[in-house]
Amino acid sequence: MRRVLLRSIGEIGVAAVVNLRYGPALAGQMAEAFDATVLVSGLAISQLVVGPGFVFGKGRGGDAALLHDMAARQGFGFTEVEAVRDSGHGAGPMFASTDIRVLIRRGQVDLAARALGRIWEIEARVQHGDSRGEALGFPTANMPLDGVLHPGPGIYAVRVGLAAGGAVTWHDAAAYIGTRPTFAGDTMLLEVYLFDYSADLYDRRLRVAFVGLVRKDQTFDSPHNLKVQMAADCERAREILATARQRPKEIP
Protein backbone atom coordinates (compact mmCIF):
# COMPACT_ATOMS: atom_id res chain seq x y z
CA MET A 1 0.00 0.00 0.00
CA ARG A 2 2.91 2.33 0.76
CA ARG A 3 4.25 1.95 -2.79
CA VAL A 4 0.90 3.07 -4.25
CA LEU A 5 0.73 6.06 -1.90
CA LEU A 6 4.27 7.19 -2.63
CA ARG A 7 3.69 6.84 -6.37
CA SER A 8 0.56 9.01 -6.12
CA ILE A 9 2.43 11.65 -4.12
CA GLY A 10 5.22 11.67 -6.68
CA GLU A 11 2.71 12.25 -9.48
CA ILE A 12 1.96 15.74 -8.12
CA GLY A 13 5.63 16.73 -8.03
CA VAL A 14 6.63 16.09 -4.40
CA ALA A 15 10.38 15.49 -4.38
CA ALA A 16 10.80 13.83 -0.96
CA VAL A 17 8.68 12.19 1.72
CA VAL A 18 9.49 11.79 5.43
CA ASN A 19 7.63 8.79 6.86
CA LEU A 20 7.44 8.97 10.68
CA ARG A 21 7.20 5.56 12.30
CA TYR A 22 4.19 5.65 14.62
CA GLY A 23 4.72 4.16 18.07
CA PRO A 24 4.33 4.89 21.79
CA ALA A 25 6.98 7.63 21.81
CA LEU A 26 5.38 9.55 18.95
CA ALA A 27 1.83 8.92 20.19
CA GLY A 28 2.72 10.28 23.63
CA GLN A 29 4.33 13.48 22.37
CA MET A 30 2.52 16.70 23.23
CA ALA A 31 1.60 18.98 20.33
CA GLU A 32 4.07 21.71 21.31
CA ALA A 33 6.92 19.21 21.61
CA PHE A 34 6.13 17.70 18.21
CA ASP A 35 6.24 21.14 16.65
CA ALA A 36 9.57 21.99 18.25
CA THR A 37 11.42 18.67 17.80
CA VAL A 38 10.01 17.34 14.53
CA LEU A 39 8.78 20.28 12.47
CA VAL A 40 11.18 23.06 13.47
CA SER A 41 14.39 21.34 14.65
CA GLY A 42 14.03 18.10 12.69
CA LEU A 43 12.70 19.28 9.32
CA ALA A 44 13.44 23.02 9.49
CA ILE A 45 10.14 23.72 7.77
CA SER A 46 9.47 27.01 6.02
CA GLN A 47 5.79 26.37 5.19
CA LEU A 48 3.24 24.03 6.77
CA VAL A 49 0.00 23.04 5.03
CA VAL A 50 -2.76 21.06 6.76
CA GLY A 51 -6.28 20.00 5.89
CA PRO A 52 -9.53 21.23 7.48
CA GLY A 53 -10.10 20.06 11.05
CA PHE A 54 -6.50 18.85 11.42
CA VAL A 55 -5.46 17.82 14.95
CA PHE A 56 -2.21 16.34 16.25
CA GLY A 57 -0.27 15.52 19.40
CA LYS A 58 -1.15 13.54 22.51
CA GLY A 59 -4.88 13.60 23.20
CA ARG A 60 -5.40 15.48 19.92
CA GLY A 61 -4.24 18.55 21.81
CA GLY A 62 -2.98 20.51 18.79
CA ASP A 63 -5.12 22.11 16.13
CA ALA A 64 -4.96 24.76 13.41
CA ALA A 65 -5.24 27.61 15.91
CA LEU A 66 -2.21 26.31 17.83
CA LEU A 67 -0.22 25.85 14.61
CA HIS A 68 -1.10 29.37 13.46
CA ASP A 69 0.26 30.74 16.76
CA MET A 70 3.40 28.58 16.59
CA ALA A 71 4.06 29.65 13.01
CA ALA A 72 3.95 33.32 14.01
CA ARG A 73 6.32 32.75 16.93
CA GLN A 74 8.77 30.42 15.23
CA GLY A 75 8.93 32.01 11.79
CA PHE A 76 7.36 29.53 9.37
CA GLY A 77 4.36 29.96 7.10
CA PHE A 78 1.10 28.20 7.81
CA THR A 79 -1.89 27.39 5.57
CA GLU A 80 -5.09 25.52 6.41
CA VAL A 81 -6.68 24.49 3.11
CA GLU A 82 -10.42 24.60 2.60
CA ALA A 83 -12.50 21.45 2.46
CA VAL A 84 -12.88 19.84 -0.98
CA ARG A 85 -16.50 19.02 -1.71
CA ASP A 86 -18.38 17.03 -4.31
CA SER A 87 -18.58 19.41 -7.27
CA GLY A 88 -21.62 17.52 -8.48
CA HIS A 89 -23.64 18.78 -5.55
CA GLY A 90 -22.45 22.37 -5.19
CA ALA A 91 -21.82 22.90 -1.49
CA GLY A 92 -22.23 19.15 -0.98
CA PRO A 93 -20.57 16.81 1.48
CA MET A 94 -16.86 17.17 2.15
CA PHE A 95 -14.57 14.49 0.78
CA ALA A 96 -12.98 12.77 3.79
CA SER A 97 -10.58 9.85 4.05
CA THR A 98 -12.81 8.06 6.57
CA ASP A 99 -15.77 8.14 4.18
CA ILE A 100 -13.60 6.94 1.29
CA ARG A 101 -12.38 3.97 3.33
CA VAL A 102 -16.00 3.06 4.07
CA LEU A 103 -16.84 3.16 0.35
CA ILE A 104 -13.90 0.90 -0.46
CA ARG A 105 -14.80 -1.64 2.22
CA ARG A 106 -18.39 -1.68 0.94
CA GLY A 107 -17.16 -2.45 -2.57
CA GLN A 108 -18.36 0.91 -3.92
CA VAL A 109 -15.06 1.41 -5.72
CA ASP A 110 -16.57 3.62 -8.43
CA LEU A 111 -17.75 6.14 -5.82
CA ALA A 112 -14.40 5.93 -4.04
CA ALA A 113 -12.64 6.72 -7.32
CA ARG A 114 -14.84 9.78 -7.81
CA ALA A 115 -13.91 11.06 -4.36
CA LEU A 116 -10.21 10.27 -4.75
CA GLY A 117 -9.90 11.58 -8.29
CA ARG A 118 -8.19 8.30 -9.24
CA ILE A 119 -8.94 4.59 -9.22
CA TRP A 120 -8.18 2.76 -5.98
CA GLU A 121 -5.27 0.36 -6.39
CA ILE A 122 -3.72 -2.55 -4.54
CA GLU A 123 -0.15 -3.57 -5.34
CA ALA A 124 1.18 -6.97 -4.28
CA ARG A 125 3.39 -9.84 -5.36
CA VAL A 126 1.82 -12.92 -6.97
CA GLN A 127 2.12 -16.03 -4.83
CA HIS A 128 1.49 -19.70 -5.52
CA GLY A 129 -2.06 -20.89 -4.86
CA ASP A 130 -3.95 -24.18 -5.06
CA SER A 131 -4.74 -23.80 -8.82
CA ARG A 132 -8.52 -24.02 -8.33
CA GLY A 133 -9.06 -21.23 -10.83
CA GLU A 134 -6.98 -23.00 -13.45
CA ALA A 135 -8.95 -26.21 -12.91
CA LEU A 136 -12.15 -24.26 -13.57
CA GLY A 137 -10.77 -22.74 -16.77
CA PHE A 138 -9.94 -19.33 -15.26
CA PRO A 139 -6.27 -19.30 -14.16
CA THR A 140 -5.80 -16.57 -11.60
CA ALA A 141 -2.88 -14.72 -10.06
CA ASN A 142 -3.21 -14.94 -6.27
CA MET A 143 -2.08 -12.14 -3.96
CA PRO A 144 -2.19 -11.71 -0.16
CA LEU A 145 -4.29 -9.01 1.51
CA ASP A 146 -2.75 -9.00 5.00
CA GLY A 147 -2.83 -5.50 6.47
CA VAL A 148 -4.14 -3.92 3.26
CA LEU A 149 -7.26 -1.77 2.95
CA HIS A 150 -9.34 -3.61 0.36
CA PRO A 151 -12.86 -3.82 -1.07
CA GLY A 152 -15.31 -6.22 0.49
CA PRO A 153 -15.81 -9.79 -0.76
CA GLY A 154 -17.03 -9.97 -4.34
CA ILE A 155 -16.18 -9.95 -8.04
CA TYR A 156 -14.77 -6.73 -9.53
CA ALA A 157 -13.94 -5.34 -12.94
CA VAL A 158 -10.28 -4.31 -12.71
CA ARG A 159 -7.29 -3.26 -14.75
CA VAL A 160 -4.00 -4.96 -13.95
CA GLY A 161 -0.71 -3.12 -14.45
CA LEU A 162 2.47 -5.00 -15.34
CA ALA A 163 5.75 -3.10 -15.06
CA ALA A 164 8.57 -3.88 -17.47
CA GLY A 165 11.41 -1.82 -18.87
CA GLY A 166 10.37 1.33 -17.02
CA ALA A 167 6.82 1.27 -18.38
CA VAL A 168 3.48 -0.16 -17.26
CA THR A 169 1.10 -2.02 -19.54
CA TRP A 170 -2.52 -2.37 -18.46
CA HIS A 171 -4.71 -5.41 -19.04
CA ASP A 172 -8.46 -5.76 -18.55
CA ALA A 173 -9.30 -8.38 -15.93
CA ALA A 174 -11.78 -9.67 -13.38
CA ALA A 175 -10.82 -9.93 -9.72
CA TYR A 176 -12.17 -11.91 -6.80
CA ILE A 177 -11.82 -10.92 -3.16
CA GLY A 178 -12.98 -13.39 -0.55
CA THR A 179 -12.36 -16.68 1.24
CA ARG A 180 -13.78 -18.94 -1.54
CA PRO A 181 -16.75 -20.21 0.50
CA THR A 182 -17.69 -22.79 -2.16
CA PHE A 183 -14.46 -24.61 -1.21
CA ALA A 184 -14.72 -23.85 2.55
CA GLY A 185 -11.77 -21.47 2.47
CA ASP A 186 -10.86 -19.32 5.47
CA THR A 187 -8.14 -16.96 4.17
CA MET A 188 -9.01 -13.67 2.52
CA LEU A 189 -7.30 -13.47 -0.88
CA LEU A 190 -7.19 -11.34 -3.99
CA GLU A 191 -7.32 -13.35 -7.22
CA VAL A 192 -7.16 -11.75 -10.67
CA TYR A 193 -7.93 -13.30 -14.05
CA LEU A 194 -6.40 -11.36 -16.94
CA PHE A 195 -8.44 -11.51 -20.12
CA ASP A 196 -6.63 -12.83 -23.20
CA TYR A 197 -3.32 -13.23 -21.34
CA SER A 198 -1.33 -16.42 -20.79
CA ALA A 199 2.21 -15.53 -19.62
CA ASP A 200 3.58 -16.63 -16.24
CA LEU A 201 2.93 -14.09 -13.46
CA TYR A 202 4.40 -15.89 -10.43
CA ASP A 203 6.53 -13.65 -8.16
CA ARG A 204 5.73 -10.52 -10.21
CA ARG A 205 4.33 -7.42 -8.54
CA LEU A 206 0.97 -6.42 -9.98
CA ARG A 207 -0.99 -3.20 -9.72
CA VAL A 208 -4.71 -3.96 -9.47
CA ALA A 209 -6.98 -0.96 -10.11
CA PHE A 210 -10.60 -1.50 -9.04
CA VAL A 211 -13.03 -0.02 -11.58
CA GLY A 212 -16.42 -1.42 -10.61
CA LEU A 213 -18.28 -4.08 -8.62
CA VAL A 214 -19.71 -6.97 -10.64
CA ARG A 215 -21.44 -8.76 -7.77
CA LYS A 216 -21.06 -9.68 -4.10
CA ASP A 217 -19.48 -12.96 -3.04
CA GLN A 218 -21.72 -16.01 -2.72
CA THR A 219 -21.55 -19.77 -2.16
CA PHE A 220 -22.35 -22.22 -4.99
CA ASP A 221 -23.57 -25.78 -4.57
CA SER A 222 -21.10 -27.19 -7.09
CA PRO A 223 -17.88 -26.23 -8.93
CA HIS A 224 -19.80 -26.51 -12.22
CA ASN A 225 -22.33 -23.85 -11.20
CA LEU A 226 -19.47 -21.65 -10.02
CA LYS A 227 -17.75 -22.03 -13.39
CA VAL A 228 -20.91 -21.00 -15.24
CA GLN A 229 -21.23 -17.92 -13.04
CA MET A 230 -17.55 -17.04 -13.50
CA ALA A 231 -18.05 -16.92 -17.26
CA ALA A 232 -20.98 -14.55 -16.80
CA ASP A 233 -18.95 -12.45 -14.34
CA CYS A 234 -16.14 -12.04 -16.85
CA GLU A 235 -18.55 -10.86 -19.53
CA ARG A 236 -20.04 -8.34 -17.13
CA ALA A 237 -16.55 -7.16 -16.13
CA ARG A 238 -15.68 -6.59 -19.80
CA GLU A 239 -18.84 -4.49 -20.19
CA ILE A 240 -17.98 -2.34 -17.17
CA LEU A 241 -14.41 -1.80 -18.35
CA ALA A 242 -15.53 -0.92 -21.88
CA THR A 243 -17.62 1.99 -20.60
CA ALA A 244 -15.42 3.17 -17.69
CA ARG A 245 -14.26 6.77 -17.96
CA GLN A 246 -11.39 6.74 -15.49
CA ARG A 247 -8.23 4.81 -16.24
CA PRO A 248 -5.24 4.02 -14.00
CA LYS A 249 -2.21 6.29 -14.07
CA GLU A 250 0.46 5.16 -16.52
CA ILE A 251 3.36 6.07 -14.24
CA PRO A 252 5.46 2.99 -13.28
Side-chain angles (χ1 to χ4, degrees), residues 38-90:
V38 177
L39 299 182
V40 177
S41 297
L43 297 175
I45 63 170
S46 59
Q47 178 73 31
L48 178 64
V49 181
V50 302
F54 177 77
V55 292
F56 70 107
K58 182 178 181 181
R60 301 165 66 88
D63 57 12
L66 178 62
L67 287 171
H68 186 274
D69 180 63
M70 289 178 172
R73 288 189 284 108
Q74 296 174 353
F76 60 85
F78 174 69
T79 302
E80 181 182 17
V81 300
E82 296 182 0
V84 178
R85 300 182 181 276
D86 190 338
S87 59
H89 297 85

Side-chain angles (χ1 to χ4, degrees), residues 191-211:
E191 301 179 326
V192 294
Y193 170 62
L194 280 66
F195 302 146
D196 311 313
Y197 188 88
S198 59
D200 184 8
L201 293 173
Y202 285 122
D203 294 325
R204 294 190 63 174
R205 294 193 69 89
L206 304 186
R207 292 171 59 180
V208 183
F210 289 80
V211 178

Side-chain angles (χ1 to χ4, degrees), residues 171-229:
H171 301 265
D172 287 354
Y176 169 73
I177 289 181
T179 60
R180 297 177 293 183
T182 300
F183 302 102
D186 57 7
T187 301
M188 189 71 69
L189 289 174
L190 166 62
E191 301 179 326
V192 294
Y193 170 62
L194 280 66
F195 302 146
D196 311 313
Y197 188 88
S198 59
D200 184 8
L201 293 173
Y202 285 122
D203 294 325
R204 294 190 63 174
R205 294 193 69 89
L206 304 186
R207 292 171 59 180
V208 183
F210 289 80
V211 178
L213 174 66
V214 173
R215 64 170 173 85
K216 296 290 188 179
D217 197 9
Q218 63 188 96
T219 304
F220 293 86
D221 56 13
S222 72
H224 171 74
N225 289 340
L226 172 59
K227 181 177 180 178
V228 171
Q229 183 61 54

